[in-house]
Each structure stands twice: as C-alpha cells, then as structure tokens.
Amino acid sequence: MTSIHLENLGKTFGSFTALKNMNLEIADGEFVALLGPSGCGKSTTMNMISGMIEPSEGEIRFGDRDMRGVPMSRRGVGFVFQNYAIFTHMTVYENLAYGLRATGVAKAERERRVNDMAEFLHLTPLLKRPAAGLSVNILQRLAIGRSAIMEPAIFLLDEPLSNVDAAFRAVMRTELKHLQREFRQTMVYVTHDQLEAMTMADRIAVMDHGKLLQVGTPIDVYNNPSNVFVAGFLGSPGMNLIKGRSVMADGVMRVDLGEAGLSAPLGDALSRSAREGKAVVYGFRPEHCELTDGDGLRLPVNFVERIGARTILHMGRDGHSIKGVFDNRVPVRQGDIVTLAIDPSNIRLFDADTGNAIAEAH
Amino acid sequence: MTMAALDANTPVMEHEDTRDSRRLGLWLTFPAQILVLFIAVFPILMQVYISLTDWSPLDGIGWWQAHELWNSFANYSDLMADDRFWSALWRTVLVMAICVPCEFLLGLGLAILFVDDFPGRRFLYSVLLIPMMVVPAVAGYMFFMLFQSGGPVNDILSFFYGAPVTIAWLSDPDLAFFAVIVSDIWQWTPLMFLILLAGMVGVPEDQLRAATLLGASWATRFRTIVLPRMKTIIIIALAIRVIENFKVFDNFYIMTGGGPGVATETISIYIYKVTQQELIWGYVAAVALVILIALSVVSALAIKRMSREVSQ
Amino acid sequence: MASIAFRNVTKRFGDTVAVNDVSFEIADNEFFCLFGPPLSGKTTILKLILGLERPDEGEVLIDGKPVNHVSPARRNVAMVFQNLALFPHMTSEENIRFPLVERRISPDRIAPRVADVVAKLHIGHILHKSPAQLSGGERQRVAIARALVRDPVAYLMDDPISALDARLREETRVELKRIQHEMSRTLVYVTHDQEEAMSVADRIAVLENGVIRQIGAPSDIYDNPRSAYVAGMLGAPAMNLITLDPGRLSALDGALPLHAMNVPDGATRIGVRPEDLAVTSAGEGSSSPVEVYEVEPLGGVTVVTLQAGETSLRAMVRGQPKIEPSSRVALAVAEGQACFFDSEGQAVTA
C-alpha cells in the first residue's frame, strides 16, 4: 500500500497544455475521484501516474519513491481501462491468469488465485468461455478482476462505469466502494459523472481546463464549492447561480437579483465579507429552497418536471434558469408564479469577476 | 416521394429483412450471377475438354472440333510419368518453402522495427516499398546484370576477398538457384512487410498497455497479444505469397531461362516451354488443370481457416 | 396532426415474437413514451408505426385509418434517429432545408417553414455552422428541426439523447418537452431511461418481452404499479421488494413491523420506495438484524444500502444525515406508502 504525491505536475502536448501545476496528496488507502468534463486533464493525470506518459514537469512519488523514469510495468499499479482492454482472443481464465503468468507465478498458486478471484466476482461459471462476446457487465468485472489479482498497491480506474447500463451502474457503485473499504487499496478513479464521484470517493478532486480547482470530501465540496464551476458541476441539478449586485437596504446586506427582486438578507457572516455595490453571483442548491407565502424570490414556473419521488420546478424568465427540487406532491403547475424562500445559511456568494467563492467572515 | 422514404432507408435496418425482400434481391442479381458464372466457368470447362484430346493449334482444326482427337485420359497418364513435370513441381515447392518463410521473417522483423515511430521512418518506409513496385521482368533483368561474372556482386566480393572473384553465378545449377531465390526475396519481402505492418498497427494499443501494466515483458506481449491478434492477417499474407510464389515466372525466366539445364525450371516456366516451344496444348491443359486443383485445395484450406478465425 | 392506434398487433421474426398482441391508442398531440429494457419490442413498435415492418396480425391505424398496406413514404411520419444522421458537409441550415429542397418545394415556401422551425427550436445562432462545430445538444436540435420542417403528422424518436452525458441529458429532455409542446404534434418516444421517461412523457407504456405491462401517466404508474416488474422499472434506486414474514404482520424477520398496515390477503411481498423507507439508528447494543452496508451521499439526498440477512435494501434519506457503515438501524414504513404483490408478482390491494 502506498501514498501518491503529485507535485507541480504539468503536461504539454506541443503547444497544448493538458495539465498545469497539479498538486495533490493521496493518502495510503484513500479513494480519490478525479472529476471534471472531458478535456479537463483528469485522464492525463491518471496516465502519468500509471507511467503511460511522462510528465513535462513536476514530480510523482509513490510513498517516498520518485517515479521518474520507472517504466509502467514496474510501477505496480492496477489499471482498469474505460473500454476494459480485455484480451478477446483468450478465455476468461486466461485473462485473469495473464498477469500471474507474465510475472512467473507458479501454476498451482496461479490456479488458486484465479479461482478465488473468479469466485469473488461471480465469474466461476464463465472461466472456460472465450472473453469475446461476453456482456459489458461481465467484461467490466473481468477487467477489475484481472488487475486486482495482481494485488496492486495502487488501483487506477478510468471511467469504468461509463459503458454499463444504469441499473448495473448503481449496483457497481456500491460494490466498488465496498470492495475498496475492505481491501484499503489506494484508489484513483477518473470520471465525468459527479454522481459516481460523490457516492464513492473519500475525497473528490474537481478539475477543469487542466487545473485542479478544489479537493475535499464529497459533502464538503458539495456544500462549500470554491468557485462557480464546482458549484454548477456538482449536484443534480447543479447549484443555481444568479448574477446580481450586493446592496444595502434597511441596514442589512441583500443581493439585487434584477427581475426576481431582492434576496432575503444575507447571513451575518456573509454580510461582513460582501462589500456593497459589488457584482456577485448568488448561489443556492435546488433542494435548499422552499415555497413560501411571505417574502422571497418571485419567479414564474416554466415547467414542472415530475420524476418519481421528486419534482423539479424550472423557474425564471429571460435566460435565468432556476431550478428547485421538491417532493412529488408539490402543488404547483406550469405558469404559476411562486415565491421561494432560501435559508441564509444555504446561500453561497461568488465574485462575479473571478468566479471564486466569497468566504464567510468570522 | 417524401423524406420518410429517405429516412427509412438509412440506419434502421438492424434486424433481418423480410423474406420477401430477400427473394426479390435474389431475382434482381440473377442476370449478373449468370454472367459471372459464365466468365469463370467457361474457360475451365474448355480446359477440361481440351485436356482430354491431343489437340494442338497446328492441327488446323478449331478447338471446338478437338473431340476428333479424343484420347480419353492419355494426357493425364503421360503427366504421371513425366519426370520433367514432377521435378519442376518439386522445384516450385522448394522455392516456395525457402522464399515464403524468409520473406515472412524479414517482413515481420521490419514490421516490428517500423511499428513505432523513429526519425526518418516515413522516408525509409517508402524506400522499402520500392522493390514491390518494380515490374518483375525488370527486376529479373536487374538481377541478371548483378549476377554476371563481371557484375557488381562479384566486384563487391572481390573487394572484401582482396583478390578478383569470378563466380559464374548463373551458369552453376546450385548458384543459379540461389540467385533466383535472392531476387524473389528482394522483390516480395516488402509486400509481406506491408501486410504485416498493417496487422501490427491494428493490435489495440490499450491491450498492449494493459499487458504491460500486468507486468508482461516485450517478448511476452509479442507472443501472447501481438501474434495471436495478427493470426488472421498472417494467414492471409502467407496464403497470398504461397499462391503467388507458385506462379513465379518473369524474373526466373529472364535471369536463367529456367537453366542451366532445368536447374531453375519452375512449373510456370515448364508450362510456358511446353506451350510455346512444343505446342502440345492438350497436354498443357491437363497440366494446368492439375495445378489449378492443387492450388484450389490449398486456398480452400486457408480460407476455411481464416473464416474460422474471423467468426471467433 | 394525428392519433395512432394499435389493435392486437403481433410481429414475429422467425421464432421470436417481438411484439405480442399489443393494443394502445395515442391521442393527438400526446407525448407518448415506449419504455422498457433492450429487446422488449420498443423499436419494433416504432418500425411498425413508420411502416418499415408490417404486422403479422392486427392493425395499425393513423388518424383512424388502417395503414397496414400504406408505404412508409405515404404515412408522413418523421423519425429522428439515435445517431442523428446529419449530413456533415452541409451547414445546419442546409441540413434543415434538405427535405424540402428534395421534395422540390419552391424556395419562397421553404423560407417561412424553416424560419418557423428555427424560431421554435431556438437555433437561429447556429444556422451557419456545420454539424462538426456543434455541441451534442445543438446537433440534436438541428436533427429535430430537419425532421419537423416537413410538417409530419407525427414524429418518432428512438432514444435520441442517450449519447449525451448526464448533465446535458437533464437539460435536453426538458427542452424536448418544450419543443413538443410548441410544435403541437404527436410524439412517440423510445427510451430505456426511467427518469427520462417520467420527465417527458404524458403517458408511458412499460414493455416487457413484446407485451405492454402497463400504460398510464408517469405519476400514476409510479404510485400504483400493477406488477412487481413495473414497480422495479420506474424509480432509482428501484423499489425495494421484500418478502413478508409468513403468518405475521412484519417483514425481514420482524425487523420491518407492519402492524399499522392493512396487508391484503394473498400478498407475499411488500414494495417500498427507497424514499418511503424510514431509517433510524437502532441505538447502542441493538440486536436489529439490519446493518448499514454502504452510504452514498448525493448532496441533496443520501442513499443508504442496507443488508438484512440475504436481503439487500436501499433507502433514500433527505439531506446529509450521519449514518455510519456497519452500524445497526431500525426500519419503518408509513401506512399508504407501500404496495403489495402476490406470488405471481401482481399487485394486490386490500
């Protein structure tokens, strides 16, 4: 088991900068998700950890071992590819045994370990089957088993669930997390799906355009996003972000949100850090708003989306799209005008120019 | 006619067509099938017919009248007793048994070198493909010149040996055989290289990476991933060369004329000589048919093997 | 504008029955969703409407008229394909105009039709771009515009947004609903995504092996599934189906008490939606057989996977509660928030 240290890591391809100044410490036995849209540099980071590509600058250490120049075959990392890279010209057994065989593990030992792994992943009845033509769900388990059988200290997974169907994905999410909790391997998981990152990881590293934006526990990153990108990227739907201007009215700080009206007074802590007359982005989570008869944001309901247990109200006018998540019995219809109340403790403010969160002053 | 028909013809056809449309398709292609059948089958039937006669163009009667010279299976029994035919056939197989493995190994080695990028790769690649583009007759003439007793090959040997070397390459039976084989390998290794390289590039990168990350060495990866994945293309490459090599003619004929004696006489040269010099076409037809059947059996086996691979 | 109806339609391919005695009616302007797992017959039903397949038995009607023997071209039904099939060498505008130009419609009649569709789909700003320059969602809209510009009586979509990523899917489905509303045309929509089906459809037909198991409004099917199969198809995480303790008013060996419930006769299983399963800490030293297997915070809600003997359950709790893996919990379900199924998997009511 090993910790991973990334120091000032960077990678350029010609004139294109794929990754810049990445600093990340992954503790021994930790499950970290690299989360971001395509092209954010998450796969590049992963490929550098595995040794598939060499960094242009910076350093990668496993524990206190510098990985510069160490070929990928000797880094001892397990890697699960997005397309699984199953050896389709071999049987399931041969796939599982491949690494043991290549590294010269004795036959008896090999058989025992393959059978154990097959048992564990429910692949035993399929051992003699050719790997070609198996379903995606099985290939996925096989890919994990093939790497896990080598008992790598570090496990890297590149969007392993993006090709499987929704129901199986939900099951695998739980299973993968449970597996990692039991084996305590250091796990790095690349995904563009915030749901996977939220549900599985001990910590999430959110990336965009080759930059690491925020690292923290899922709940922490979800509750206190460091900038507007992170705020909008996490959550389903993402955080509501409305442009406005901080104003002082009746001695309390509020945000002028244009058509929607004035916000409720900001909490004390935010009031102290938000200067008056500043362009800000006013953010709150869709599930943190309530319908009220009193004061609040007045918004027209454009669309009511009822999805089983929850109802999403799509609100706002002229380009504003504000979403609220309610339970399935909310008595609202398309065309209604509703008033939203948001608890001041759930409001997040961002600087409209930099996009960075405005911290609460204490 | 509306857009629906156009939409309808594009990508929905995942499942089987209805039986009606399949039958219609059969009828529509029927005339073309008849034509193809005629083009392919007619010459063969004509061959079979002539091979059962003593017909020769010198007899002054058309080939369709050849039945007047009917000799049943005499040509075939002559063939069985024809030592020159059997030795030509044996020689052809020997050429094949030497040339094809050499070309394969050289081609594979070159493909391994060229699968990864290196400076000057594109240029060298083009240079390597030149022999394949040379007309075989011209290549034959080139090697004819190279292997003259006063030619460049002997000059180079003299340079290293330190004294004049005057080996009579093309007059000695063994050396002539060696020389024609060198010319064949020179000309056809590039084709093998081209096909094998295409196959090697097609091996999925991720599988190789996965194997590397599982601790496999280069040799292990080559043996367990690259070669098995190239199996089909290797069989195709070998089949092409085996069939082509069986028909080898131009450069051999120009370099040695099949000689000295019959030292380099392959089956094609033998057929050519019997046709053009001895003009017994009934006999030639019999020889040609026997070869056709032999080659068909070889290709059928290769194709069967290939389709089994592909279906896996 | 058109209604579409199937009357006892059966379609076989060789030995497999792709569509088995299916009857339904789609009203004019309805957003109708065919929902089911792969190979359940959804796409075959689309093809039967389009006319690409003919029924072996039964009748397909468009606007009340039988169309079994009407060719696809004369049905004037448009299709938006999964892979969109835009012409890459044309701009968006040329793509949209194409069906009209192809039908030799005079240019002065083309312009207003294109303008109308473009306005409704909000794609004026991307007309000069080629498909390669568009985002997935934009390409989607251009493809829809191309299908709509012909002014078809109904349009069909086969899983049109499954290729988009999760966030874009959430936005596009709302957009689709708006477009359908503005175009006021009958829309038949195929999907295998339950959330998408519930979000967009006026009515859903849930399919299994070529048979329609239930048709109804999304909330109706969600609240009152007619069978365990349908109950399991809608909702994520899926409804918990728990075997009742024989002869007792409880499930999970007493861990889920149902004293307050009116359990109907013949019921062998209880179905509880994850959001209706109340989870409370069982306290120190509890002997509750229900153990927390895994906790997944989604931010707004938390999904808790529970293990009770051999049975795996999921509960969805609002907010970010403190629940530790491996701790023991107590379960409860309120009256009226459960369904009951008999041994055949059919819903039973008291």
Side-chain angles (χ1 to χ4, degrees):
Chain A
M1 296 198 196
T2 315
S3 56
I4 304 172
H5 308 266
L6 310 180
E7 252 170 46
N8 293 322
L9 202 61
K11 180 72 192 174
T12 50
F13 297 101
S15 60
F16 173 69
T17 305
L19 188 71
K20 217 164 44 189
N21 262 333
M22 171 99 166
N23 283 293
L24 183 63
E25 303 270 314
I26 299 169
D28 193 5
E30 194 179 21
F31 191 146
V32 168
L34 302 180
L35 173 70
S38 58
C40 73
K42 56 189 193 297
S43 294
T44 307
T45 308
M46 175 86 108
N47 290 343
M48 286 194 284
I49 296 174
S50 73
M52 270 180 227
I53 54 177
E54 278 292 313
S56 307
E57 54 190 68
E59 206 175 74
I60 299 173
R61 279 179 287 120
F62 290 177
D64 43 18
R65 274 196 312 150
D66 187 356
M67 282 294 124
R68 190 188 315 261
V70 178
M72 56 175 164
S73 56
R74 274 194 260 123
R75 292 199 178 191
V77 298
F79 198 108
V80 177
F81 290 79
Q82 184 171 11
N83 63 13
Y84 310 139
I86 292 298
F87 307 134
T88 44
H89 56 289
M90 300 181 189
T91 62
V92 171
Y93 183 94
E94 286 165 336
N95 267 282
L96 285 175
Y98 189 89
L100 299 177
R101 217 174 170 149
T103 49
V105 172
K107 188 153 189 272
E109 161 90 356
R110 207 160 71 207
E111 263 177 24
R112 187 183 58 74
R113 278 164 74 175
V114 170
N115 287 332
D116 286 354
M117 185 54 75
E119 190 68 33
F120 185 70
L121 292 171
H122 308 291
L123 292 169
T124 308
L126 303 169
L127 277 177
K128 290 203 177 73
R129 288 267 292 276
L134 293 175
S135 76
V136 180
N137 296 353
I138 293 170
L139 291 181
Q140 205 257 359
R141 270 183 282 155
L142 180 53
I144 290 174
R146 188 179 66 181
S147 292
I149 204 166
M150 303 301 291
E151 292 165 10
I154 294 170
F155 219 112
L156 309 175
L157 298 104
D158 187 3
E159 310 227 8
L161 301 182
S162 60
N163 293 322
V164 300
D165 60 62
F168 185 69
R169 201 180 307 157
V171 174
M172 271 322 282
R173 275 206 318 260
T174 318
E175 281 309 312
L176 267 177
K177 181 167 186 182
H178 199 74
L179 274 183
Q180 197 268 344
R181 196 188 292 288
E182 275 189 12
F183 288 109
R184 276 286 149 204
Q185 275 148 331
T186 309
M187 194 114 118
V188 183
Y189 187 101
V190 161
T191 182
H192 67 270
D193 184 341
Q194 56 94 24
L195 187 69
E196 286 175 19
M198 285 287 292
T199 51
M200 290 193 283
D202 295 326
R203 282 194 303 153
I204 300 180
V206 188
M207 301 175 71
D208 189 35
H209 286 110
K211 268 166 54 183
L212 179 62
L213 298 178
Q214 189 173 4
V215 187
T217 64
I219 291 300
D220 185 36
V221 176
Y222 184 86
N223 290 341
N224 300 303
S226 67
N227 70 15
V228 286
F229 177 83
V230 178
F233 200 77
L234 286 179
S236 168
M239 185 180 272
N240 290 307
L241 298 163
I242 316 165
K243 283 197 173 137
R245 187 164 289 278
S246 51
V247 290
M248 196 65 108
D250 308 330
V252 288
M253 188 73 86
R254 294 166 182 258
V255 179
D256 179 357
L257 298 171
E259 297 245 5
L262 275 184
S263 76
L266 297 177
D268 287 348
L270 265 184
S271 294
R272 276 196 292 274
S273 51
R275 275 183 293 122
E276 193 185 355
K278 204 168 155 41
V280 294
V281 176
Y282 180 85
F284 63 93
R285 292 270 169 209
E287 62 272 13
H288 286 158
C289 52
E290 272 164 45
L291 298 181
T292 175
D293 294 330
D295 282 346
L297 304 181
R298 283 181 64 73
L299 297 161
V301 176
N302 301 323
F303 182 54
V304 181
E305 194 183 11
R306 294 186 190 274
I307 313 165
R310 52 186 198 146
T311 298
I312 302 176
L313 299 185
H314 297 257
M315 299 165 286
R317 38 172 103 75
D318 328 314
H320 279 311
S321 173
I322 296 159
K323 290 166 193 153
V325 174
F326 300 89
D327 71 24
N328 54 357
R329 274 137 199 129
V330 63
V332 174
R333 278 186 312 194
Q334 195 165 324
D336 288 359
I337 305 269
V338 294
T339 307
L340 292 185
I342 302 134
D343 189 289
S345 68
N346 288 326
I347 291 164
R348 300 289 175 269
L349 277 193
F350 302 89
D351 185 317
D353 299 324
T354 63
N356 291 332
I358 297 172
E360 298 190 348
H362 294 289
Chain B
M1 179 69 196
T2 70
M3 185 63 186
L6 188 130
D7 278 347
N9 284 331
T10 28
V12 218
M13 313 290 176
E14 315 141 305
H15 292 300
E16 55 255 70
D17 291 346
T18 58
R19 225 162 275 154
D20 284 349
S21 64
R22 207 176 299 158
R23 200 175 300 146
L24 177 70
L26 216 59
W27 278 111
L28 286 176
T29 56
F30 187 67
Q33 303 227 14
I34 292 293
L35 188 69
V36 168
L37 209 64
F38 187 75
I39 291 171
V41 170
F42 176 73
I44 294 176
L45 288 179
M46 180 181 159
Q47 287 269 54
V48 172
Y49 172 58
I50 293 177
S51 76
L52 297 169
T53 70
D54 270 336
W55 184 77
S56 151
L58 296 181
D59 293 334
I61 55 172
W63 65 266
W64 57 92
Q65 292 164 307
H67 58 89
E68 290 170 20
L69 302 165
W70 193 264
N71 68 4
S72 302
F73 290 93
N75 284 331
Y76 291 93
S77 51
D78 288 353
L79 184 64
M80 290 298 143
D82 184 348
D83 285 344
R84 196 170 152 205
F85 165 74
W86 287 111
S87 74
L89 189 62
W90 161 243
R91 209 169 287 113
T92 309
V93 171
L94 191 66
V95 167
M96 210 160 71
I98 297 170
C99 286
V100 175
C102 286
E103 286 161 16
F104 173 72
L105 290 177
L106 283 171
L108 190 66
L110 285 169
I112 291 168
L113 288 179
F114 274 75
V115 77
D116 291 317
D117 210 4
F118 59 84
R121 176 174 176 265
R122 288 172 74 98
F123 173 73
L124 277 175
Y125 178 76
S126 319
V127 170
L128 263 177
L129 294 188
I130 289 175
M132 203 174 73
M133 327 243 181
V134 174
V135 178
V138 174
Y141 185 67
M142 272 166 52
F143 276 86
F144 175 71
M145 298 305 286
L146 284 173
F147 282 111
Q148 290 301 305
S149 25
V153 173
N154 279 346
D155 287 350
I156 291 167
L157 289 178
S158 310
F159 177 78
F160 286 111
Y161 190 61
V165 175
T166 52
I167 302 172
W169 288 101
L170 300 178
S171 321
D172 177 279
D174 291 337
L175 292 178
F177 192 70
F178 173 78
V180 291
I181 279 181
V182 167
S183 82
D184 190 85
I185 292 174
W186 177 82
Q187 184 149 38
W188 295 114
T189 296
L191 178 68
M192 203 60 112
F193 160 66
L194 193 68
I195 298 175
L196 294 177
L197 182 64
M200 211 172 277
V201 168
V203 174
E205 181 93 359
D206 276 352
Q207 299 209 357
L208 291 172
R209 287 175 163 179
T212 313
L213 286 163
L214 290 169
S217 63
W218 184 89
T220 310
R221 290 200 300 276
F222 190 74
R223 188 169 48 78
T224 56
I225 313 284
V226 178
L227 277 186
R229 292 237 147 230
M230 288 177 65
K231 205 152 50 177
T232 309
I233 209 132
I234 287 174
I235 292 169
I236 292 173
L238 290 178
I240 290 176
R241 279 309 296 146
V242 163
I243 293 168
E244 282 287 303
N245 211 285
F246 208 85
K247 302 187 284 190
V248 67
F249 178 78
D250 321 43
N251 40 354
F252 280 42
Y253 190 74
I254 287 174
M255 282 175 75
T256 64
V262 291
T264 58
E265 188 173 278
T266 61
I267 202 76
S268 297
I269 295 177
Y270 168 72
I271 293 175
Y272 173 76
K273 284 184 177 168
V274 177
T275 317
Q276 296 300 315
Q277 293 165 6
E278 297 166 31
L279 294 170
I280 26 181
W281 283 20
Y283 185 63
V284 172
V287 174
L289 269 179
V290 168
I291 306 250
L292 179 70
I293 290 165
L295 271 187
S296 303
V297 170
V298 173
S299 354
L301 287 175
I303 288 170
K304 197 172 156 198
R305 177 75 206 263
M306 271 189 274
S307 54
R308 207 175 62 209
E309 289 296 325
V310 173
S311 71
Q312 274 177 10
Chain C
M1 282 186 271
S3 61
I4 296 169
F6 271 42
R7 284 199 193 136
N8 304 94
V9 171
T10 296
K11 176 70 193 173
R12 299 184 193 88
F13 295 109
D15 290 339
T16 45
V17 185
V19 172
N20 193 355
D21 195 18
V22 160
S23 299
F24 58 82
E25 264 179 60
I26 304 172
D28 204 7
N29 292 348
E30 190 173 15
F31 199 132
F32 189 80
C33 186
L34 297 164
F35 167 64
L39 301 177
S40 56
K42 314 181 291 272
T43 302
T44 308
I45 291 180
L46 274 198
K47 287 186 189 172
L48 287 163
I49 299 173
L50 267 177
L52 296 176
E53 299 288 357
R54 297 224 170 117
D56 293 320
E57 286 162 36
E59 219 164 24
V60 177
L61 301 102
I62 295 180
D63 249 351
K65 291 188 272 296
V67 292
N68 277 17
H69 297 287
V70 177
S71 76
R74 290 175 188 283
R75 293 190 186 188
N76 199 16
V77 174
M79 173 88 185
V80 179
F81 288 101
Q82 197 168 13
N83 56 9
L84 304 183
L86 291 178
F87 305 116
H89 58 287
M90 296 184 187
T91 63
S92 304
E93 184 169 17
E94 286 163 345
N95 263 293
I96 297 168
R97 294 163 61 97
F98 180 81
L100 301 180
V101 175
E102 192 70 356
R103 289 162 93 191
R104 306 234 162 77
I105 289 174
S106 67
D108 51 315
R109 282 175 54 212
I110 291 180
R113 296 255 295 262
V114 171
D116 179 46
V117 172
V118 164
K120 281 178 176 157
L121 283 158
H122 305 180
I123 48 174
H125 58 295
I126 51 169
L127 283 183
H128 59 283
K129 292 186 178 170
S130 71
Q133 294 168 298
L134 302 178
S135 72
E138 289 169 336
R139 254 189 298 234
Q140 183 66 50
R141 279 193 255 174
V142 174
I144 295 170
R146 190 178 64 176
L148 292 180
V149 77
R150 286 169 44 210
D151 200 19
V153 293
Y155 51 112
L156 316 180
M157 295 190 182
D158 189 357
D159 223 346
I161 62 176
S162 62
L164 307 180
D165 69 36
R167 179 55 49 88
L168 205 49
R169 272 207 305 275
E170 278 169 18
E171 283 163 18
T172 312
R173 69 187 187 214
V174 177
E175 190 66 12
L176 277 175
K177 181 75 182 169
R178 181 188 67 76
I179 292 164
Q180 192 264 343
H181 189 73
E182 291 212 355
M183 300 304 297
S184 44
R185 286 288 177 281
T186 307
L187 172 55
V188 186
Y189 189 95
V190 161
T191 181
H192 63 271
D193 180 333
Q194 56 90 22
E195 194 169 295
E196 200 174 303
M198 284 197 285
S199 162
V200 296
D202 293 327
R203 283 193 307 153
I204 300 177
V206 184
L207 284 138
E208 183 191 14
N209 295 331
V211 180
I212 293 185
R213 293 295 177 202
Q214 190 166 358
I215 297 186
S219 55
D220 183 36
I221 299 184
Y222 188 82
D223 292 336
N224 304 303
R226 213 179 287 154
S227 64
Y229 172 78
V230 174
M233 288 294 288
L234 290 186
M239 180 184 269
N240 296 298
L241 294 169
I242 312 161
T243 308
L244 295 169
D245 296 334
R248 283 197 285 166
L249 280 176
S250 64
L252 301 172
D253 246 348
L256 184 62
L258 304 170
H259 308 297
M261 291 248 174
N262 194 356
V263 179
D265 294 338
T268 58
R269 279 186 293 175
I270 179 173
V272 186
R273 295 269 174 213
E275 64 270 20
D276 295 332
L277 193 62
V279 177
T280 46
S281 172
E284 287 292 312
S286 155
S287 63
S288 165
V290 186
E291 191 185 357
V292 176
Y293 182 73
E294 212 45 79
V295 179
E296 297 174 312
L298 309 191
V301 291
T302 302
V303 174
V304 185
T305 305
L306 305 159
Q307 196 71 37
E310 291 289 291
T311 314
S312 180
L313 305 171
R314 277 164 195 257
M316 202 150 73
V317 187
R318 286 196 70 159
Q320 300 162 356
K322 286 245 172 294
I323 300 174
E324 289 298 322
S326 303
S327 64
R328 304 217 162 247
V329 292
L331 299 177
V333 57
E335 164 95 73
Q337 291 183 331
C339 321
F340 293 91
F341 303 98
D342 64 17
S343 53
E344 306 278 283
Q346 296 302 309
V348 281
T349 46

